[in-house]
Amino acid sequence: MDEIIRDQLNRPLHDLRISVTDRCNFRCSYCMPAEVFGPDYAFLPKDQVLSFEEIERLANIFARLGVKKIRLTGGEPLLRQNLQDLIRKLVNINGITDIGLTTNGVFLSKYAESLYQAGLRRLNISLDALNDEVFKALNGRGVSSKIVLKGIDAALKAGFHIKINMVVQKGVNDQEIIPMARYFREKGVTLRFIEFMDVGNSNGWNFERVIPKKEIYHMLSQEFDLEPVDEAYFGEVAKRYKYKDKQAEIGFITSVSESFCTSCTRARISADGKLYTCLFAGKGFDLKSMLRNKSTNEFIQSQIISIWNHRNDRYSDERMSNGNAKKNKIEMSYIGG
């Protein structure tokens, strides 16, 4: 690592999310609602998506600037063909100590073993309900929760460390909080409850549909004995608890009720090579053009340093202070979660 860079709020750059595709096989209302992302929606043409070689090159540059963790996202990243080839490239980058992947789990029964053999060890799997009818309605494609559960079992068998992500919406799937906790507690798998966020412009977000962490915790504590777990590192997003009688943990992603902007160390690269300094950003910085205009690594690195040095994003803090959600944010399917 050449240097550690910091932004206007003294936050270092440690985490990089890389979207490998803007396509997804689900149409979840909080991410890619079907009425917006319909049959005629124009996704990125193949030549506008970063190649594996371009992603590897950027990852090497970011590693020199202090990035330790890379998470591959989408859309649904397992729609990208031969993703294991990219993972083999990334696991060999000096300085990168943690590579993960976020997926809806549908293709894990097919790909879990090959992903593990390529060197991937961590998976975040999105699952918003166990109940089949609720889940089918949520994913917008009528896909059964049993398919995802089968994929989770395949990933556990392959040896993956897994976290399950559940986006909770009041009046939509809040009745699934306790069943989900029971199920994954017995599995010994970490379950994280994510407050419904106003990512993008098309998910119909409002405060009334948010169930804050305190309410979810109260529900859980009526049935389970929980104790807090210390923060593992600076910038850890989840507020973590463990069951006193089990090894499994639960976590809360509280970007609405208890924002964590002051410790955010994450940058995001979209599938078409734009750098975003916040999940709620309205614009990105075009790195793909630099890659394809034959800019040197040193030049690209200097541009990234400048972008990060000028970063002052704190959207969730501002949303809490003024109660308003701004418009014209990039869609989550474009840059991942």
Side-chain angles (χ1 to χ4, degrees), residues 279-311:
L279 178 60
F280 305 95
K283 67 172 186 175
F285 301 88
D286 188 1
L287 300 182
K288 182 182 67 183
S289 292
M290 299 181 205
L291 293 169
R292 298 186 179 181
N293 290 340
K294 299 184 179 180
S295 297
T296 65
N297 286 355
E298 290 72 24
F299 176 79
I300 296 172
Q301 180 172 312
S302 71
Q303 296 303 298
I304 294 169
I305 290 172
S306 177
I307 291 165
W308 194 262
N309 286 162
H310 286 88
R311 176 191 190 234

Side-chain angles (χ1 to χ4, degrees), residues 323-334:
N324 293 320
K326 74 176 183 182
K327 296 295 183 182
N328 301 319
K329 302 182 295 293
I330 194 68
E331 296 294 342
M332 184 162 67
S333 60
Y334 189 66

Side-chain angles (χ1 to χ4, degrees), residues 210-274:
V210 177
I211 303 184
K213 174 235 178 181
K214 287 182 180 178
E215 289 186 27
I216 300 174
Y217 178 83
H218 178 73
M219 293 170 62
L220 293 166
S221 64
Q222 301 304 299
E223 178 153 346
F224 307 109
D225 246 347
L226 300 169
E227 59 184 12
V229 177
D230 290 338
E231 184 180 89
Y233 55 89
F234 178 80
E236 183 175 29
V237 170
K239 294 175 173 64
R240 297 159 54 218
Y241 296 80
K242 70 181 292 292
Y243 300 100
K244 288 186 179 180
D245 61 341
K246 293 281 185 178
Q247 290 302 308
E249 289 187 7
I250 61 167
F252 299 90
I253 311 297
T254 62
S255 73
V256 178
S257 68
E258 300 174 23
S259 61
F260 39 82
C261 296
T262 54
S263 60
C264 177
T265 62
R266 289 170 293 287
R268 292 170 170 82
I269 297 176
S270 63
D272 63 346
K274 291 187 175 67

Side-chain angles (χ1 to χ4, degrees), residues 1 63 66-69 93-98:
M1 182 181 68
V67 164
K68 302 290 187 186
K69 298 174 64 177
I93 293 177
N94 187 40
I96 300 299
T97 59
D98 189 332

Side-chain angles (χ1 to χ4, degrees), residues 1-277:
M1 182 181 68
D2 293 336
E3 58 182 308
I4 296 175
I5 60 174
R6 295 184 181 272
D7 68 8
Q8 294 288 298
L9 300 178
N10 202 36
R11 298 169 294 190
L13 173 58
H14 282 166
D15 306 81
L16 183 63
R17 309 284 174 90
I18 304 174
S19 175
V20 297
T21 180
D22 63 332
R23 299 168 187 265
C24 187
N25 52 319
F26 279 6
R27 289 296 180 268
C28 302
S29 61
Y30 59 78
C31 182
M32 295 181 72
E35 61 270 22
V36 176
F37 296 86
D40 299 324
Y41 185 82
F43 289 99
L44 290 169
K46 188 175 181 180
D47 65 349
Q48 293 303 307
V49 176
L50 289 182
S51 69
F52 288 169
E53 290 73 24
E54 289 169 331
I55 291 173
E56 179 187 21
R57 186 180 171 195
L58 285 176
N60 269 291
I61 293 171
F62 275 92
R64 291 199 293 271
L65 296 176
V67 164
K68 302 290 187 186
K69 298 174 64 177
I70 290 176
R71 179 162 294 280
L72 301 178
T73 67
E76 170 48 53
L78 294 184
L79 287 176
R80 183 77 184 259
Q81 289 188 342
N82 302 314
L83 190 65
Q84 65 271 18
D85 294 343
L86 174 61
I87 290 164
R88 289 191 189 95
K89 295 176 185 294
L90 297 179
V91 296
N92 289 316
I93 293 177
N94 187 40
I96 300 299
T97 59
D98 189 332
I99 296 175
L101 181 141
T102 298
T103 174
N104 61 33
V106 168
F107 301 112
L108 282 177
S109 293
K110 181 177 181 180
Y111 293 123
E113 188 62 38
S114 62
L115 292 169
Y116 194 88
Q117 292 300 320
L120 188 69
R121 294 293 181 266
R122 294 183 179 272
L123 293 172
N124 281 18
I125 303 171
S126 300
L127 180 64
D128 295 331
L130 291 175
N131 180 281
D132 224 25
E133 294 311 308
V134 175
F135 185 68
K136 286 177 179 179
L138 281 165
N139 66 56
R141 284 289 189 256
V143 177
S144 171
S145 59
K146 294 179 178 64
I147 293 174
V148 179
L149 295 174
K150 184 179 177 183
I152 291 169
D153 287 341
L156 287 170
K157 183 179 179 182
F160 280 102
H161 177 80
I162 291 173
K163 295 174 184 174
I164 306 299
N165 289 339
M166 177 186 182
V167 176
V168 181
Q169 300 181 61
K170 186 177 292 184
V172 177
N173 66 334
D174 47 332
Q175 74 277 14
E176 289 289 291
I177 291 171
I178 298 299
M180 288 277 287
R182 288 180 187 142
Y183 184 87
F184 289 106
R185 173 177 172 272
E186 292 306 312
K187 285 272 186 185
V189 171
T190 296
L191 172 62
R192 305 198 301 181
F193 299 99
I194 301 176
E195 293 177 347
F196 179 40
M197 294 181 285
D198 56 318
V199 182
N201 310 299
S202 57
N203 69 358
W205 181 89
N206 60 60
F207 272 116
E208 286 68 38
R209 288 170 64 191
V210 177
I211 303 184
K213 174 235 178 181
K214 287 182 180 178
E215 289 186 27
I216 300 174
Y217 178 83
H218 178 73
M219 293 170 62
L220 293 166
S221 64
Q222 301 304 299
E223 178 153 346
F224 307 109
D225 246 347
L226 300 169
E227 59 184 12
V229 177
D230 290 338
E231 184 180 89
Y233 55 89
F234 178 80
E236 183 175 29
V237 170
K239 294 175 173 64
R240 297 159 54 218
Y241 296 80
K242 70 181 292 292
Y243 300 100
K244 288 186 179 180
D245 61 341
K246 293 281 185 178
Q247 290 302 308
E249 289 187 7
I250 61 167
F252 299 90
I253 311 297
T254 62
S255 73
V256 178
S257 68
E258 300 174 23
S259 61
F260 39 82
C261 296
T262 54
S263 60
C264 177
T265 62
R266 289 170 293 287
R268 292 170 170 82
I269 297 176
S270 63
D272 63 346
K274 291 187 175 67
L275 171 62
Y276 291 85
T277 56

